[in-house]
Amino acid sequence: MSTDAIVLLKEDHKEMRRLFKAFQDAEEGPASQRQKLVNQILEALTVHTYLENEVMYPEVRRLLPDLEDDILESYEEHHVADVLCAELASMDATDERFNAKTTVLIENVTHHVEEEEEEWFPKVRDALGRKQLQEIGERMIALRADAPRTPTAPKAIKKAMDAVTA
């Protein structure tokens, strides 16, 4: 398994795309299936955004000041996702707005992922050496086990608030 930070984040993105597609395929299916998928989406997003906010974004911000605007935009996109995740965590799949709210979350996260992968990951890869990306990735791997798994976990709430004031 690679320890390259960008490779790790892209693997998370791939898993999220898989979960998003599974939800979209199940939109007309049983509420229990949609609920299960959304719970998986919420966990994947909570862990992923925690690792980005705690490790990747601060390091890129410190090492590559020219990407400041990209990082600030990413923090804001995470904040929007955090709000939607917290709302979905308190909803039941039978709620009339559950599918709509999940669709908005998917659209927002998909946009964010595309920007990262197409715009700023290449800039980060060009500017940082392989060794630096591996060191950042190793820190992310070490933090993953202790990352919050739900949007309502105290560390997730703190991460969301820190992102607003970063």
Side-chain angles (χ1 to χ4, degrees):
M1 180 172 96
S2 175
T3 60
D4 180 297
I6 291 173
V7 171
L8 295 171
L9 293 174
K10 283 184 169 184
E11 287 173 2
D12 284 355
H13 292 170
K14 184 177 178 181
E15 175 62 10
M16 282 185 261
R17 285 184 185 106
R18 184 191 68 75
L19 290 169
F20 294 166
K21 179 167 182 353
F23 176 82
Q24 290 163 336
D25 291 345
E27 262 187 283
E28 302 303 319
S32 61
Q33 179 65 13
R34 287 182 283 121
Q35 186 73 58
K36 179 181 173 187
L37 287 164
V38 167
N39 290 345
Q40 292 173 335
I41 289 169
L42 296 180
E43 180 175 349
L45 283 172
T46 300
V47 171
H48 179 79
T49 59
Y50 181 79
L51 296 175
E52 283 186 329
N53 285 15
E54 293 294 313
V55 181
M56 186 69 168
Y57 291 175
E59 279 301 298
V60 170
R61 194 174 188 187
R62 182 178 70 81
L63 296 168
L64 304 172
D66 289 350
L67 295 183
E68 177 83 8
D69 288 343
D70 293 313
I71 297 300
L72 293 174
E73 183 180 334
S74 291
Y75 279 131
E76 294 306 319
E77 289 171 346
H78 279 197
H79 176 65
V80 170
D82 289 339
V83 169
L84 292 167
C85 287
E87 290 174 359
L88 280 164
S90 69
M91 293 174 76
D92 184 82
T94 59
D95 186 297
E96 70 177 357
R97 296 180 337 186
F98 187 84
N99 283 8
K101 193 172 297 286
T102 303
T103 298
V104 170
L105 175 66
I106 289 169
E107 289 170 352
N108 276 279
V109 171
T110 299
H111 167 79
H112 172 75
V113 164
E114 288 170 357
E115 278 190 345
E116 280 187 343
E117 291 186 356
E118 294 170 14
E119 295 175 25
W120 79 268
F121 281 179
K123 293 175 190 174
V124 171
R125 180 157 311 284
D126 287 345
L128 299 182
R130 181 178 172 173
K131 185 174 191 264
Q132 282 180 302
L133 286 169
Q134 288 176 333
E135 289 170 359
I136 294 168
E138 288 167 6
R139 289 180 42 215
M140 289 169 41
I141 290 168
L143 193 59
R144 185 176 289 271
D146 293 327
R149 298 289 190 260
T150 65
T152 56
K155 282 184 186 177
I157 293 169
K158 180 184 182 319
K159 179 256 317 171
M161 294 310 299
D162 287 349
V164 172
T165 60

